[in-house]
């Protein structure tokens, strides 16, 4: 029998290698400056058949939080607010709010680590359509706040027909879980993947689901089969997996499975799971959207054979291409681009620009182009402010030109000093063995500007510490 928890506020820190930055997996883009993932799964509540057990799973990138330095380590704290309303948003049904403190002996370098914080909140809701709004706010920095709103269709899992729960995506499923542990389900610990993102760092998809109302008589035996397939967004078949057959041990069953996604290129797909009761021949099925992302793959490569990467770019894409060239190009290249007026002329220029930078001209993919475009998108996600896109900021420019730093030191609450960060790079080509960039919030707007670097060609100010003290 499932026990209902009013709210679960524990946090699991799980070592999860990073892929692309936060992006909407369901069309409900996170708004605000603190991005996060939110996903839901619905299961049957056996002792409350009129209601459905709804689990909301959250993933917050730890690096997005503002860490405060203590005596030896850094801590962060955030508040989560969840509201559930009817689909018309006229009636508030549930309001929950809780705060969580992160104090796991985190060092300065660890504050920028790509580590997800995973947690959940659980509800009992009658079947129907609901408007769910979630907000996460950094308690140490009022500017860091993100929100997400989405409609959730809570299914009716009661009755006597064969029916299936939601399919919950997971990064791991471990045996011998304990009932008091976070993410425990029927003897297993199911580590959720609220992003539904798989690929280079997560080539195998783990899933958990439940089946209800199998035809079953004590001692009669029987079995059921489960089929798995992947379709594209239009519903066209992409991949089918072998059917799995299981013996019935009761009228309900748990589905635990993993699927290898190594052969799927980057893109959006639907995972389809179908259960067939072999005795009654009844079927139940669910589908869920997933994303596959692989390092080195890009929609920029999806042109016709022999066609220029830039042949079909619209006005917005051409502007993005210009932005990147203006950020990483030489002075003469930037001037040449400024002098070009016609789109076709610009497209030819871009072809030549990236051809010069292609590290492997004999292959279809231009690794340099893919790398810089990825950095550009990440810079806009990480460093944008109200009046300026991230690529135009000092931090965004450095990120695009030099890539992500090897280490970040945050000094945001030091006595008699303005907030500042130091980015460290190791063994950049043509630069000092340890290259540093110092950024400071010089006007209290939470926008960090470059105030010193030892990189060749960058602004250098050896007295930057004294100046920050004077400005304070």
């Amino acid at each position: 029998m499932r026990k209902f928890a009013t709210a679960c506020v524990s946090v699991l820190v799980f070592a999860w290698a990073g892929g692309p930055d936060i992006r909407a997996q369901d069309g409900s883009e996170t708004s605000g400056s603190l991005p996060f993932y939110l996903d839901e799964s619905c299961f049957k509540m056996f002792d409350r058949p009129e209601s459905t057990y709804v689990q909301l799973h959250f993933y917050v990138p730890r690096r997005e939080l503002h860490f405060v330095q203590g005596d030896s380590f850094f801590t962060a704290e955030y508040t989560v607010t969840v509201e559930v309303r009817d689909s018309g948003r006229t009636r508030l049904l549930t309001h929950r709010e809780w705060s969580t403190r992160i104090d796991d002996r985190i060092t300065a370098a660890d504050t920028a680590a790509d580590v997800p914080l995973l947690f959940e909140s659980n509800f009992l809701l009658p079947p129907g359509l609901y408007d769910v709004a979630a907000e996460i706010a950094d308690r140490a920095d009022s500017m860091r706040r993100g929100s997400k709103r989405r409609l959730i269709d809570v299914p009716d899992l009661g009755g006597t027909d064969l029916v299936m729960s939601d399919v919950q995506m997971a990064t791991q499923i471990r045996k011998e879980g304990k009932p008091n542990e976070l993410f425990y389900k029927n003897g297993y610990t199911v580590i959720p993947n609220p992003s539904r993102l798989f690929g280079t760092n997560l080539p195998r998809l783990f899933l958990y689901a439940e089946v209800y109302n199998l035809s079953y008589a004590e001692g009669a035996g029987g079995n059921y089969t489960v089929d798995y397939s992947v379709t594209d967004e239009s519903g066209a078949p992409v991949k089918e997996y072998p059917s799995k057959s299981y013996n019935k041990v009761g009228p309900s069953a748990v589905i635990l499975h993993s699927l290898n996604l190594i052969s799927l290129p980057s893109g959006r797909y639907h995972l389809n799971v179908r259960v067939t009761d072999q005795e009654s021949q009844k079927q139940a099925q669910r589908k869920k959207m997933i994303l596959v992302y692989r390092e080195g793959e890009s929609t920029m490569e999806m042109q016709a054979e022999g066609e220029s990467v830039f042949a079909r770019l619209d006005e917005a894409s051409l502007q993005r291409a210009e932005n990147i060239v203006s950020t990483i190009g030489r002075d003469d290249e930037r001037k040449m681009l400024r002098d070009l007026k016609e789109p076709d002329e610009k497209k030819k220029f871009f072809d030549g620009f990236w051809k010069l930078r292609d590290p492997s001209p004999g292959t279809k993919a231009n690794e340099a182009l893919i790398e810089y475009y990825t950095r550009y998108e990440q810079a806009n996600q990480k460093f944008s402010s109200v009046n300026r896109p991230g690529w135009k900021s000092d931090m965004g420019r450095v990120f695009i030109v030099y890539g992500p730093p090897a280490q970040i030191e945050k000094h945001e609450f030091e006595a008699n000093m303005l907030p500042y960060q130091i980015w460290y790079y190791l063994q950049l080509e043509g630069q000092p063995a340890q290259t540093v960039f110092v950024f400071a919030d010089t006007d209290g707007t939470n926008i960090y500007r470059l105030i010193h670097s030892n990189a060749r060609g960058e602004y250098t100010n050896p007295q930057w510490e004294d100046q920050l003290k004077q400005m304070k």
Side-chain angles (χ1 to χ4, degrees):
M1 181 180 297
R2 179 169 285 106
K3 295 182 178 180
F4 176 62
T6 57
C8 182
V9 299
S10 301
V11 173
L12 176 67
V13 180
F14 178 67
W16 189 354
D21 275 345
I22 295 288
R23 60 194 65 188
Q25 80 273 27
D26 54 13
S28 53
E29 187 81 43
T30 304
S31 60
S33 57
L34 203 164
F36 62 93
Y37 285 115
L38 171 66
D39 198 17
E40 84 282 350
S41 299
C42 299
F43 300 93
K44 184 172 183 176
M45 195 68 183
F46 288 94
D47 58 348
R48 298 278 297 276
E50 74 282 0
S51 297
T52 300
Y53 185 74
V54 181
Q55 292 189 314
L56 297 181
H57 289 116
F58 295 79
Y59 157 22
V60 183
R62 194 175 71 185
R63 66 174 181 270
E64 300 293 345
L65 298 175
H66 182 105
F67 281 83
V68 179
Q69 186 170 13
D71 294 336
S72 301
F73 300 99
F74 287 77
T75 62
E77 191 171 2
Y78 59 90
T79 297
V80 182
T81 304
V82 180
E83 291 187 345
V84 180
R85 300 176 182 268
D86 65 291
S87 58
R89 295 172 59 185
T90 59
R91 193 160 51 97
L92 178 64
L93 305 176
T94 301
H95 175 93
R96 287 187 188 158
E97 183 174 314
W98 70 91
S99 295
T100 299
R101 181 179 175 85
I102 307 298
D103 54 2
D104 303 322
R105 301 175 67 85
I106 295 173
T107 64
D110 290 335
T111 60
D114 191 13
V115 176
L117 306 176
L118 301 173
F119 55 94
E120 67 181 25
S121 184
N122 307 318
F123 300 85
L124 271 181
L125 293 172
L129 192 63
Y130 296 90
D131 180 88
V132 177
E135 181 182 79
I136 300 179
D138 194 313
R139 293 179 64 86
D141 184 349
S142 60
M143 299 294 290
R144 300 192 189 193
R145 181 183 298 268
S147 62
K148 183 183 280 283
R149 166 169 273 120
R150 60 189 295 179
L151 287 175
I152 293 180
D153 190 2
V154 176
D156 185 355
L157 300 177
T160 58
D161 287 338
L162 183 68
V163 69
M164 186 176 171
S165 74
D166 275 338
V167 178
Q168 181 183 333
M169 304 300 170
T171 59
Q172 280 188 22
I173 297 179
R174 298 198 292 256
K175 294 181 179 181
E176 300 177 357
K178 298 179 181 179
N180 60 341
E181 289 181 338
L182 191 60
F183 308 134
Y184 171 84
K185 282 186 173 71
N186 285 310
Y188 296 86
T189 299
V190 182
I191 308 299
N193 182 356
S195 71
R196 307 188 210 166
L197 177 65
F198 301 89
T200 301
N201 297 313
L202 288 172
R204 184 166 288 276
L205 178 154
F206 290 84
L207 63 90
Y208 175 95
E210 297 176 359
V211 184
Y212 315 112
N213 302 324
L214 290 164
S215 60
Y216 177 77
E218 192 72 36
N223 56 47
Y224 62 95
T225 59
V226 186
D227 296 281
Y228 307 92
S229 65
V230 175
T231 57
D232 64 18
E233 289 189 278
S234 68
V238 173
K239 186 177 182 63
E240 292 190 3
Y241 296 87
S243 295
K244 298 289 183 180
S245 181
Y246 304 92
N247 294 326
K248 296 177 184 176
V249 295
S252 301
V254 170
I255 298 175
L256 300 167
H257 199 57
S258 68
L259 300 172
N260 194 329
L261 304 177
I262 196 68
S263 64
L264 296 183
S266 297
R268 292 172 178 262
Y269 301 92
H270 282 112
L271 172 66
N272 305 277
V273 182
R274 186 180 67 229
V275 175
T276 302
D277 187 323
Q278 292 301 311
E279 277 62 52
S280 68
Q281 286 300 298
K282 291 182 178 180
Q283 291 186 333
Q285 58 187 357
R286 294 283 178 186
K287 72 175 181 179
K288 204 158 193 176
M289 196 274 288
I290 61 173
L291 293 98
V292 175
Y293 173 83
R294 302 196 181 286
E295 300 290 348
E297 291 185 357
S298 168
T299 55
M300 293 294 295
E301 296 180 86
M302 298 180 184
Q303 72 274 15
E305 188 67 29
E307 183 182 57
S308 164
V309 169
F310 301 97
R312 304 185 185 185
L313 297 192
D314 57 19
E315 184 176 347
S317 299
L318 278 173
Q319 185 59 60
R320 177 174 60 179
E322 291 187 42
N323 296 343
I324 295 173
V325 169
S326 69
T327 303
I328 70 172
R330 302 188 307 266
D331 289 343
D332 62 312
E333 291 171 321
R334 290 196 290 266
K335 182 181 184 306
M336 185 183 301
L337 179 59
R338 285 197 300 269
D339 292 340
L340 299 176
K341 304 303 180 184
E342 297 299 323
D344 287 344
E345 294 177 338
K346 293 180 180 181
K347 291 174 183 179
K348 291 179 181 178
F349 171 85
F350 295 140
D351 280 332
F353 179 90
W354 289 108
K355 185 176 181 180
L356 288 174
R357 290 162 172 78
D358 190 351
S360 55
T363 63
K364 180 181 177 182
N366 185 327
E367 292 81 4
L369 181 149
I370 294 170
E371 175 64 23
Y372 281 111
Y373 268 73
T374 300
R375 293 180 190 177
Y376 176 84
E377 296 300 333
Q378 292 178 349
N380 283 331
Q381 293 172 4
K382 292 172 180 288
F383 309 117
S384 290
S385 57
V386 174
N387 298 316
R388 176 179 292 181
W391 73 272
K392 281 190 173 182
S393 69
D394 286 353
M395 281 184 163
R397 181 189 66 81
V398 170
F399 187 92
I400 294 169
V401 174
Y402 301 99
Q407 180 179 336
I408 297 177
E409 283 186 13
K410 295 183 180 181
H411 302 268
E412 297 173 323
F413 289 96
E414 290 195 359
N416 302 316
M417 289 284 283
L418 290 177
Y420 68 95
Q421 294 184 17
I422 304 177
W423 290 11
Y424 293 92
Y425 291 84
L426 304 177
Q427 298 179 332
L428 289 176
E429 183 177 356
Q431 298 291 354
Q434 185 182 74
T435 308
V436 299
F437 292 86
V438 183
F439 304 90
D441 180 7
T442 56
D443 54 9
T445 61
N446 203 36
I447 299 174
Y448 283 72
R449 295 175 171 83
L450 180 67
I451 61 170
H452 168 67
S453 176
N454 66 343
R456 295 179 179 88
E458 297 285 353
Y459 177 72
T460 298
N461 178 15
Q463 284 77 44
W464 64 269
E465 289 184 89
D466 293 336
Q467 289 190 358
L468 287 186
K469 291 178 182 179
Q470 294 170 6
M471 295 174 69
K472 181 67 173 181

